[in-house]
Structure formats: C-alpha cells, structure tokens
Amino acid sequence: MAGRPPAPGDGQPGLGDGRPALRDGRPGLGDGRPGLRDGRPGLGDGRPGLRDGRPGLRDRRPGLHSLTAGRGLLFGGDYNPEQWPEHVWAEDVELMRAAGVNLVTVGVFSWARVEPEPGARDFGWLDRVLDLLAGAGIAVDLATPTASPPPWLGHRHPGTLPVDESGHRLWYGARNQFCPSSPVYRERALALVADLAGRYAGHPALALWHVGNEYGQVCHCDVSAEAFRAWLRERHGDLDGLNEAWGTTFWSQRYGDWAEVIPPRRAPYLVNPTQRLDWARFCSDALLEHYRAERDVLRGHTPGVPITTNFMGLFKPVDSWRWAPEEDVVSNDWYPDPADPLFPVRAALTHDLTRSLGGGRPWLLLEQAASAVNWRPHNLPKPAGRLRLESLQAVARGADGSCYFQWRASRFGAERFHSAMLPHAGPDTRLHAEVRAHGAELRRLAEVAGQPVPTRVALVHDWPSWWAMEEAGRPSDRLSVTGQLLAYYRPLWERGVAVDLVPPSGDLSGYALTVVPNLYLVSDADAEALTAYVRGGGVLVVGPFSGVADPNGHIRTGRFPAPLRDVLGGSGEEWRPAPEDRPVRCAWADGTPFEARTWTELMRTEGAEPVAVFTEGELAGSPAMLRHRAGAGVAWYVATLPDHDALAELTGRALADAGVSGALPGPPPAGVEAVRRGPVLFLLNHGDREAHVPLAEPAEDLLTGARVEGGVTLAARAVVALRP
Ligand code: GAL
C-alpha cells in the first residue's frame, strides 16, 4: 500500500499528484498511516544556499552546471534498455539524438539484471549501453538499482521485506519491497552500489548519480522497532524522557522497559499521537540514513559527480528539508492530473518547493509523463500543447532540465499503458513529434541554464507540523496542510509574485512578506524568530490553527496561538469547525461581505485591527482577520478559511504592506502565469483562450526569435520566453 497521496488543495492530506494511496508498497498517507519524522537539524543550518534565490557562494558541491555547460538545458528521460533486445538500443540512441535528448536515467530497476544471483555481477550489458550513449554524446544519470531488490533477496532473506501496521509482510512481485532498517538489505545494496561506482567511475557517460527511487518506504517489523528505540533514545534520552514526551500518563500507556516500546501498530483505537509523530520522524530519518550510506559510497568513488535522488514534491513521508542538504542536486518527479483545473498552480507550488529545497540552485524535473499515466482509475491524455507548456513551466521556475518517465513505452509489466516519449506506435506519431519539437526548442533556451528566480516572498511549510496537524482525533479533518498551502499560494501565483518555500526555522531576512498558511506545531525558537522578523520590518500572514502545539505535539495552554499572540495582537479561545452545508458569512471592515467555510475561531483583538469580522451566528461581530502593526512590521492572522476572492484581497493588502509586486506591473490576465528567471520573462497561458499581455519594453522571444513590442498575444497554451 502506498504510493502517492492526493494533491494539495483537494481537502485531503496528501501530496501532489493525486496518485492512489499505496501504490507501490509505500504507506498511503492520509489513510491513518504512520507517517514518518524532527530532531531536525535547524533549518538554517543544513540548508543549502540562500534566501534570495541565489546559489550560496560558499557552496562548492558539484551541481548541474557540470551537465549544462556545453549542453544547455537537459532533456531526456528514464531509459530502461534491459526491457529490450540489444538491436533496439541503436535505434533508441539514434532517435534520442534526433529528439535532442542529452540526458537519460539508466538502471533504476536493474538490480536483478546486474546481480542475477547473490553476489554475481553482470555489468556487460550496462557497459555496452553506457558506451553507446557516450558515443552519441548523451549524458547518463546512473541509478543505484536499490529501489527494487530481486526476488532472490526476499526469498532468501524474508527479513528484508517490509511489514505493514498489521504485521503482514509485503511480498516481492512489485517494487519497493524493502525494510529501510534491514541490515541484510543495507549490506547487499551497498555492496552492489560499491561495485557499480567502481566500475563506472571515470566513464565518459557518467554525469549524475541517482540514488534509489522515490524514497518513501515504511516498515513496522521488529528490526525497525529496534532501530526506532535507538532513535528515541537519541531524542528523548531515557524512558522518563520518552514517557514525558509521549504523554503516557494518558490511557495508561507508561513504558517501563525499552523492549515494550514499539512502532505504532494496528491497535483497537486511536494510537498515541506523539508516538506516531516520532515514528514519522524516525521513518524519514531511517530512509535518509540509507540514502546517505549509498551516497557516501558513490562520493568515495566519484567525488566530482553530483548526486541526487528523485523527490515527489509535497510527499508526506519524507521531510525534504532534512533530505535536500544531503544532495548535490535536488530533483523531482511531477505527475499532474490533466483533469485538475488547478494543475498549473499546484505545479508552480511544487516547482517552487523543489527550487527552494536546493536553496535556489537550479533543479531537475527528473520525471513527468509525456501524456497519460496508467495509475489513476481513468487516465486522461495531455491535450496538445500541454507537454511543452508543463515542461517550460518547470524551466521558468528554475529547472535546468526537463525529463520524462520514460523514453520508450514498455511492452510488458505494470506500466505497459503508461505514456512515453517514444510510444508503442513508434516515432511516426503525434506525441513523438511533440517530443522532438520540444527538444529542439529547449536548445534555444540554453542561456537560461543556471539563472536564478528572484523572490521576496516566503511560504512556510514544515513536515513535522504537517504530520502533527493531520493526526487523528482533531477538531476537523477538513483542514488540510496542503489544502491551506495551495489556497494561500494561489493568489500569489495569480499576481505573478514569485515565492520561495521555507521551513519555519529558515532565514527570513531576505523576504519582505512571509506567509504561514498553517503552522500547527511550532518550537519556541521558531515562534520567536517569526516575532523578531515582524518587529524588524517583515510582513507576516498566519493562517488558522497555527501555533497550537509544541514539538512533542502537546497543546500549548493559554489563549492561542500562544507563542504568536503578542506579535499578532490578538488571541483565541475556541476552534469551531463550521457546518459544511452553508458558507460562513463575514465582512471586511467597510462592510463588504465575503464568505468563508469549514473552520472558525473565537478570537478577540489585543491591539490588532479587526480587518474582517464574522457577521452571523454565535461569532457575529468577532474578528475573522486581524492586522497588527508590531515594531517595524505588520502581522496578519486569519481565523477562518476565506473563499478564494477574499484570500486574494487579503494577499493584495499584505503585498501592499510589504511593498512587493509581481513579475508584471499588474496581475497577468486570468490563466496566464508570469515568472522571471534571470533576465528572461516567461509568460505561460494555461487558459483555453487567447490572452494579451501589454509590455513596457521591447523584447525577443527566445523560443521563436521573434521581436515583441508593445505587448504579446498568447494563444491558448502558448508560452513566450522574453529577453529584453
Ligand atoms: C514514478 C516512478 C517511475 C514510474 C513512474 C510512472 O513514481 O519513479 O519509475 O513508475 O512513476 O508514473
């Protein structure tokens, strides 16, 4: 069970692209599953790079520049030649060249092929593949094949197979079937990685290492339980510390012996929320430890070759703020649902997250679908033009490469109906023609490689807070972290305002506006930093149900949000989920009405201006939004879920407080995305209608070479990349 949870904004706790939960042995997120997870290094510390979107000057790690130098933007996909007879490989490489492919990911699921039986090595085929690619000038992102161990490993060592919450072992026959804490899995994986690295160090095709694939596995076995105990000892010291942190005086849960301490397993009723919170932290860390072990083996052999692992955007099980500093290059897989009307906003948010995880350095879109996927119940193809539109959107938001899953469509296996750059029907197809055309146009954007996306707005997102907020037994499960994130991001996107995501302990000094859609769990230090940010002149917007819990998930007593009460100039005493069958009526201070939904809070001002109030029911007259001048800055608090127009109005006011404007002098036409990357202004029309954007200065469209003056008219799904 596992896989990707649903996307932000859909009211469900989850992820990004609507993948069904439990798709491949990974725990489904919103399903009550034990998440993963803090103990976290202070953000600022481990985080790569800078706050203003520019790469850190002192950052000497290898990066994408070693790939883009001389190649320009990267274009390609997962290449699985082991699924094809060798005579097909030559055709592949010829077609890749014709399509402008300059980077392929090889070997992701090749463990059984390179180690057909325990200890054996069969690298001959891989030598030939890499030689062929090198001969064609195509760079290789070489994967450690450890995401899918061969059947012999599970058969001989069942302890390497993961166990679910109910104690059932998950079997081989799919992929991702490993226990992150299994010493046997670890040993076999590292031995293979060492041989792979030793063999291909210095190979002319090797340009990037790809560790594992989409980490997210969780295992509840006894070996994991032992590793969890060790992790807990580190975090809480002794059993007294653990009992205190987990609040075990509740329901007679006191632990008297470490052997009694277990992962959250299937139990008769609600499991201890702090146990689950620590488990989420642990699971992310356990995977990270394995990732690091593989990475260190690779680094030992090839210190100059950058290393990545492919993230899945807002993927709940992996605390990406802790992971990203451990990579040289941040990469992401992104599979928007073609049926999702908010896909451009969701995509932009995900791309901004990926860029921010790398501290603003260029990132890589490592996987996307050329057209339909095969894992939703009903898989719509991408309408014509969306392939390039989606790819260019990632480039506009800082990607130095746009790659696909996969190069050639599989004939067999679970993904036989997944689209590819080269469909079953062959190169003489509409889809492949789009792929070729896109490869050619990316070459014309070479100068964009390495350029930063400057931002003055920060959007705070935190994994531990996400885990804790969406734990069972809360006032309402209709309030979702990703839903709130998307709701607050959308008006910024609509105005063409560039945004970085930051962790709550991130350095906010470069940002004029910081938006905190939800920060349920907050440490004292992070709350103090947010307060100091406002007093020092920053503008802060805080959404509802924030500042509620401490890092152990214990409720902070006193009026809420206790640690932010002073800076917000107001406080509350009741969280009041609202009936879903009708809107909550509110009004701005001038009497203009608006509607909200789902959630209300009983607040009072303590120095803040009540910029909006509830206008009916028991809360009539009490504040729905507060604005407070504190020191040199301004803090806003929102005590409900305002509808989109009201949130857009609030965003406009907060931007005015911060003196921040978008990529254009005014908001772009509806459906048009405007973003600047270095000197280049990207305008992307996601709408189905033509749109006109007036321009103050003449420019050249890098995609066509056309000169643009006075303004530009964009057909539906058209994109321009304008350089003055
Ligand atoms: C990704 C995965 C690929 C392929 C793809 C299909 O999750 O990394 O191997 O399965 O999804 O959409």
Side-chain angles (χ1 to χ4, degrees), residues 423-479:
H424 292 137
D428 181 17
T429 48
R430 192 170 71 169
L431 177 57
H432 190 67
E434 272 195 63
V435 166
R436 278 193 187 191
H438 186 51
E441 73 181 347
L442 281 179
R443 284 199 288 272
R444 299 198 282 272
L445 290 181
E447 67 185 71
V448 166
Q451 294 286 352
V453 177
T455 53
R456 296 187 62 211
V457 177
L459 186 70
V460 173
H461 175 67
D462 184 47
W463 266 262
S465 181
W466 186 5
W467 294 323
M469 199 284 255
E470 293 182 356
E471 191 46 70
R474 58 188 157 131
S476 168
D477 67 3
R478 320 258 161 102
L479 189 63

Side-chain angles (χ1 to χ4, degrees), residues 397-409:
R397 295 192 169 270
D400 268 7
S402 178
C403 299
Y404 293 78
F405 176 84
Q406 60 179 331
W407 163 252
R408 187 187 276 274

Side-chain angles (χ1 to χ4, degrees), residues 4 17 19 23-24 26 78 80 108-109 175 210 213-214 310 312 333 335 367-369 372-375 405-406 415 418:
R4 307 195 180 194
D17 57 14
R19 296 197 180 199
R23 187 163 140 259
D24 49 14
R26 288 169 299 187
D78 278 39
N80 296 307
V108 180
F109 298 111
R175 66 176 182 188
H210 179 295
N213 193 60
E214 295 187 336
N310 45 345
M312 290 186 279
D333 297 349
Y335 292 94
E367 287 185 29
Q368 63 196 308
V373 299
N374 69 308
W375 40 260
F405 176 84
Q406 60 179 331
E415 291 175 334
H418 196 290

